[in-house]
């Protein structure tokens, strides 16, 4: 027994030793290898304070990066992507002084625009891009770090999607061209087009939205209480997943670019307005069109008074109606029974699940229920309708086919061209299902029973 315990302790110590001295050691070596030769090592340089390219300057003020020539917010996600691409640039070797003296610098560094200047909390770093070498993927670069200035042979170690011949891969220009393009990025790339960016400096949440558009009546969605105004009809339920989707779409609402910031260039009346209340305050967003081009849509935000160009998917957020946030189906699951009445003929079926199969049995002796047609009817009641209608006049626009009841009172199945209406005559309301061609369910007694 003691010998077994001793063997267990020895094995545990060996496993611990292997982990710390081999696995942890290998991870550390891998980390060192990854940062070895980097021209930008964040651990050595500290926090990024700002940078300058040929056509843009970005600087950090407080906790936010700004595009300095316009004073507008820069998008930290884009800065992170930019810096991530630069992290793949590594030094293969530094040229000796004797090699530098032999270089024609005007030939090696022909462009004055291909310069990047970075200000970090611990140092200032300047890159000057030189020509690519012809025999491999490396290129010349001058690196200035404080008082130290070197000319180096560098390369881009990061991956790159592309198709080129295998025998040319070692000297392909794809990496070099991508790196070179970074020197010419402008303010449009770095600007932050997120509508609620000013609320994103700390934790925030959406509370309510109120939408007013020309297509539908004004409605309100309370995201906190999961309620709508006007309220969901009594026989229906709130669609919480749609509310969550709205919350996600609004929180991430982002323009494609800035539009002209001159209100006179836009139509006088807004296509729609959206009032958004959050834990940070209230924002009023209006959907606008240019007078000269009504095909393009823009969001005007009260948070910064800018116009943001948007696409059709974002535009559609302003054109919705309250029924998008209701579950437009009377049945959530299969009922235990279904009662059908055709004129004076009433029939009833019990519904069950036997071995994973849908089973409908007629309660009338000697009569057989047509499983498939009854299942189609129940599937119709379970799936979302196209829209909800209300009013006593609705009934007069449809032709009654039969009455049905599954335990929530009597409903009528009614029809007109291309539409089925499941109508609650007591409440004068119902759900409309649209279809093409023939009706998706049976309409007469013989469709359901043998």
């Amino acid at each position: 027994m003691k010998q077994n315990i001793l063997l267990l302790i020895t094995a545990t110590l060996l496993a611990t030793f292997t982990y710390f001295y081999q696995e942890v050691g290998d991870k550390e070596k891998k980390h060192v290898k990854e940062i070895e030769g980097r021209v930008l090592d964040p651990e050595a340089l500290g926090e990024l304070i700002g940078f300058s390219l040929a056509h843009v300057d970005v600087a950090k003020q407080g906790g936010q990066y700004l595009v300095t020539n316009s004073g507008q917010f820069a998008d930290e996600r884009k800065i992170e992507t930019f810096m991530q691409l630069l992290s793949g640039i590594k030094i293969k070797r530094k040229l000796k002084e004797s090699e530098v003296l032999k270089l024609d610098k005007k030939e090696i560094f022909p462009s004055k625009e291909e310069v990047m200047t970075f200000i970090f909390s611990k140092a200032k770093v300047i890159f000057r891009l030189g020509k690519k070498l012809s025999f491999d993927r490396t290129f010349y670069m001058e690196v200035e770090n404080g008082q130290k200035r070197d000319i180096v042979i560098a390369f881009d170690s990061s991956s790159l999607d592309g198709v080129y011949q295998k025998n040319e891969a070692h000297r392909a220009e794809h990496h070099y061209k991508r790196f070179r393009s970074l020197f010419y990025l402008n303010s449009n790339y770095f600007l932050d087009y997120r509508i609620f960016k000013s609320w994103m400096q700390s934790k925030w949440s959406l509370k309510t939205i109120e939408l007013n558009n020309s297509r539908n009546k004004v409605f309100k969605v309370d995201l906190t209480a999961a309620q709508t105004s006007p309220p969901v009809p009594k026989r229906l339920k709130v669609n919480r997943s749609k509310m969550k989707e709205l919350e996600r779409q609004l929180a991430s609402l982002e323009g494609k670019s800035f539009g002209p910031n001159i209100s006179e260039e836009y139509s006088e009346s807004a296509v729609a307005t959206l009032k958004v209340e959050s834990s940070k305050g209230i924002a009023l967003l209006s959907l606008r069109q240019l007078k000269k081009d009504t095909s393009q849509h823009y969001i005007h935000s009260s948070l910064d008074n800018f116009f943001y160009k948007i696409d059709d998917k974002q535009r559609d957020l302003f054109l919705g109606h309250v029924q998008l946030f209701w579950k437009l189906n009377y049945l959530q699951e299969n009922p235990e029974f279904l009662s059908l009445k055709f004129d004076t003929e009433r029939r009833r079926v019990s519904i069950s699940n036997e071995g994973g199969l849908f089973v409908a049995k007629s309660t009338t002796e000697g009569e057989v229920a047509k499983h498939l047609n009854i299942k189609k009817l129940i599937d119709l009641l379970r799936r979302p309708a196209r829209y909800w209608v209300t009013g006593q006049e609705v009934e007069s626009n449809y032709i009654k086919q039969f009455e049905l009841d599954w335990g929530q009172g009597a409903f009528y199945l009614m029809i007109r061209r291309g539409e089925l209406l499941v109508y609650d005559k007591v409440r004068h309301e119902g759900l409309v299902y649209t279809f093409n061609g023939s009706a998706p369910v049976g309409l007469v007694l013989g469709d359901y029973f043998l």
Side-chain angles (χ1 to χ4, degrees):
M1 183 70 177
K2 290 182 179 180
Q3 186 177 4
N4 290 338
I5 294 174
L6 182 60
L7 288 172
L8 178 61
I9 294 172
T10 302
T12 303
L13 289 173
L14 285 172
T16 305
F17 176 86
T18 301
Y19 175 77
F20 280 104
Y21 288 91
Q22 182 172 329
E23 293 191 27
V24 175
D26 289 345
K27 289 180 181 178
E28 183 63 26
K29 287 177 183 178
K30 183 179 179 182
H31 176 66
V32 170
K33 188 174 182 180
E34 285 177 352
I35 65 174
E36 185 178 6
R38 280 187 186 178
V39 290
L40 284 179
D41 182 3
E43 295 180 8
L45 297 171
E47 180 186 8
L48 177 65
I49 306 301
F51 59 88
S52 297
L53 307 180
H55 304 299
V56 64
D57 295 324
V58 175
K60 193 170 190 178
Q61 295 186 16
Q64 179 68 45
Y65 288 100
L66 300 178
V67 176
T68 56
N69 62 336
S70 64
Q72 294 172 317
F73 288 112
D75 192 330
E76 290 189 7
R77 298 169 303 171
K78 296 176 182 177
I79 293 175
E80 183 178 347
T81 299
F82 172 66
M83 297 302 292
Q84 186 63 37
L85 289 171
L86 291 178
S87 69
I89 307 302
K90 294 186 178 182
I91 298 172
K92 185 174 183 179
R93 71 180 185 89
K94 183 176 73 173
L95 296 187
K96 299 176 182 178
E97 188 174 345
S98 58
E99 292 177 294
V100 173
L101 292 173
K102 294 178 183 180
L103 291 177
D104 182 347
K105 286 192 176 182
K106 289 185 179 180
E107 171 67 20
I108 299 301
F109 299 100
S111 175
K112 294 182 179 180
E113 286 193 325
E114 293 173 0
V115 177
M116 293 181 180
T117 302
F118 296 89
I119 307 297
F120 294 92
S121 58
K122 297 179 182 180
K124 177 181 179 180
V125 179
I126 301 174
F127 296 161
R128 182 173 287 105
L129 182 62
K131 283 190 172 182
K132 180 185 174 297
L133 279 70
S134 60
F135 50 82
D136 63 12
R137 285 165 43 186
T138 60
F139 48 85
Y140 290 104
M141 193 163 70
E142 185 177 67
V143 181
E144 185 177 339
N145 189 340
Q147 300 299 317
K148 187 179 179 182
R149 181 181 296 182
D150 296 310
I151 294 178
V152 303
I153 303 297
F155 66 100
D156 187 346
S157 65
S158 58
S159 61
L160 179 70
D161 293 332
V163 179
Y164 41 84
Q165 293 182 0
K166 187 175 181 180
N167 61 348
E168 295 290 326
H170 68 285
R171 58 183 180 184
E173 295 185 354
H174 298 72
H175 288 78
Y176 176 73
K177 286 182 177 179
R178 181 181 67 178
F179 179 45
R180 189 181 183 188
S181 70
L182 299 181
F183 287 79
Y184 293 95
L185 292 174
N186 57 29
S187 60
N188 289 334
Y189 173 79
F190 288 103
L191 285 173
D192 194 341
Y193 300 116
R194 290 174 294 180
I195 306 300
F196 300 112
K197 55 183 173 287
S198 62
W199 287 351
M200 294 179 176
Q201 302 309 303
S202 58
K203 188 177 180 181
W204 68 294
S205 60
L206 290 168
K207 292 184 176 180
T208 65
I209 68 106
E210 185 177 295
L211 181 59
N212 183 8
N213 59 46
S214 56
R215 295 186 176 186
N216 305 283
K217 294 181 180 179
V218 180
F219 69 90
K220 187 175 183 178
V221 178
D222 188 329
L223 297 168
T224 304
Q227 297 176 350
T228 64
S229 179
V232 61
K234 188 172 182 179
R235 291 190 182 275
L236 302 180
K237 295 182 179 181
V238 167
N239 193 328
R240 291 177 181 267
S241 63
K242 287 290 185 181
M243 288 188 175
K244 287 291 184 183
E245 183 180 348
L246 172 69
E247 186 174 14
R248 179 189 60 77
Q249 290 177 326
L250 278 179
S252 59
L253 191 59
E254 183 173 357
K256 302 302 179 184
S257 63
F258 286 117
N261 211 38
I262 303 172
S263 58
E264 288 75 14
E265 294 192 25
Y266 298 87
S267 56
E268 293 182 7
S269 59
V271 177
T273 58
L274 185 64
K275 184 179 179 182
V276 180
E277 180 186 3
S278 80
S279 56
K280 292 293 187 73
I282 293 176
L284 184 63
L285 309 180
S286 59
L287 183 65
R288 307 289 289 273
Q289 295 171 305
L290 288 173
K291 291 178 180 178
K292 295 182 178 180
D293 184 6
T294 57
S295 66
Q296 297 293 335
H297 287 80
Y298 299 81
I299 293 174
H300 177 262
S301 171
S302 65
L303 293 176
D304 53 20
N305 206 31
F306 287 128
F307 291 88
Y308 297 83
K309 186 177 181 180
I310 58 173
D311 59 26
D312 290 348
K313 185 177 180 180
Q314 294 163 323
R315 174 206 62 192
D316 290 346
L317 282 175
F318 289 77
L319 304 179
H321 53 83
V322 70
Q323 292 186 32
L324 290 172
F325 308 100
W326 299 347
K327 288 185 176 180
L328 298 178
N329 52 335
Y330 286 127
L331 275 177
Q332 305 301 316
E333 54 188 24
N334 291 344
E336 294 181 357
F337 74 92
L338 183 64
S339 174
L340 305 177
K341 182 180 179 183
F342 298 84
D343 295 327
T344 59
E345 296 285 329
R346 180 177 292 278
R347 296 291 188 275
R348 180 185 171 101
V349 294
S350 62
I351 296 169
S352 60
N353 186 313
E354 297 180 9
L357 298 176
F358 176 89
V359 177
K361 295 180 180 179
S362 173
T363 59
T364 302
E365 187 176 352
E367 191 172 55
V368 177
K370 294 184 179 180
H371 295 256
L372 181 60
N373 286 354
I374 290 175
K375 186 176 186 303
K376 284 182 179 179
L377 179 59
I378 290 175
D379 287 344
L380 176 79
L381 299 173
R382 291 186 62 177
R383 81 168 192 246
R386 185 68 179 271
Y387 56 92
W388 174 84
V389 292
T390 183
Q392 294 185 23
E393 71 283 358
V394 171
E395 184 179 358
S396 62
N397 296 324
Y398 293 81
I399 300 172
K400 176 187 172 183
Q401 298 300 306
F402 57 86
E403 179 185 307
L404 61 163
D405 184 356
W406 56 88
Q408 293 188 17
F411 288 79
Y412 291 150
L413 182 73
M414 310 182 76
I415 191 170
R416 69 179 181 185
R417 185 176 181 181
E419 291 185 351
L420 286 174
L421 170 65
V422 181
Y423 186 66
D424 182 345
K425 192 169 184 177
V426 175
R427 297 180 181 275
H428 305 293
E429 62 185 41
L431 294 176
V432 175
Y433 299 82
T434 58
F435 63 90
N436 294 317
S438 58
V441 297
L443 301 176
V444 298
L445 179 63
D447 292 328
Y448 296 96
F449 300 95
L450 291 174

